Every structure is written in C-alpha cells, then in structure tokens.
C-alpha cells in the first residue's frame, strides 16, 4: 500500500470503486476526499455516483478530532514538500 498522500487520478478512481464495496480503509477515503478537493476531473467521475458522494459526506462528518489532527499534520508536511520543489 502506498504511503503518499496525493493520489494519481488512476488511484483515486480505483479507491472510488473500492469505496462502493466498502473495501476502502478510512485513510484511503481521506486521501480520495483530498484528491477530490483539488481534482475537477475526478470530481466529475465521482459525481456520477451519488452513493459515494453520500458516503464521503457521512465519513467526513464522523472523522473524530484525533483523525483530523493526524490528517492535518500529514497534509501540512506534504504541502511543505510541494512548496520546496
Ligand atoms: Zn484526479
């Protein structure tokens, strides 16, 4: 399993498919949500699946504070790396 936080579109679509069968981990769903935040193409792809959109909304709400803090620190680190390029 890949540790990087930014998914390629191919990976995002694969994760999208996995979530439909409840086969994706929470971390994979978080990464997918992040990808959708900046990738218009994949937003269009997932928009065709209302079930998934509903799932992401549900999970986002249910993220507890510990997960959010962890996610934020990882994201900050990755963004800092990107800015150094
Ligand atoms: Zn994408």
């Amino acid at each position: 399993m890949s540790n990087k936080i930014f998914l390629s579109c191919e990976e995002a679509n694969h994760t999208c498919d996995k979530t439909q069968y409840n086969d994706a981990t929470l971390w994979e769903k978080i990464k997918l949500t992040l990808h959708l935040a900046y990738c218009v193409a994949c937003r269009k792809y997932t928009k065709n699946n209302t079930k998934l959109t509903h799932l992401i909304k549900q999970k986002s709400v249910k993220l507890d504070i510990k997960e959010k803090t962890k996610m934020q620190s990882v994201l900050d680190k990755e963004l800092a790396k990107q800015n150094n390029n």
Side-chain angles (χ1 to χ4, degrees):
M1 188 185 139
S2 170
N3 283 325
K4 65 188 166 74
I5 190 162
F6 291 108
L7 301 173
S8 67
C9 291
E10 197 186 340
E11 287 168 327
N13 290 348
H14 180 64
T15 304
C16 174
D17 292 338
K18 274 172 83 177
T19 57
Q20 290 179 58
Y21 304 101
N22 287 323
D23 199 24
T25 63
L26 176 62
W27 183 234
E28 284 176 317
K29 286 173 195 163
I30 290 170
K31 287 196 290 187
L32 176 60
T33 307
L34 283 173
H35 186 89
L36 295 180
Y38 65 81
C39 184
V40 178
C42 287
R43 269 212 299 275
K44 278 182 186 166
Y45 177 88
T46 54
K47 214 176 178 181
N48 295 327
N49 191 326
T50 49
K51 203 172 151 192
L52 175 76
T53 310
H54 181 67
L55 186 74
I56 288 175
K57 272 184 194 160
Q58 259 187 344
K59 291 292 175 187
S60 304
V61 171
K62 281 181 185 168
L63 274 184
D64 65 28
I65 189 75
K66 200 177 150 196
E67 286 290 340
K68 275 182 186 166
T69 309
K70 185 180 158 196
M71 183 177 146
Q72 187 63 53
S73 70
V74 173
L75 186 59
D76 285 346
K77 238 190 257 174
E78 288 297 326
L79 287 176
K81 260 192 242 168
Q82 299 274 317
N83 289 338
N84 285 338
N85 286 339

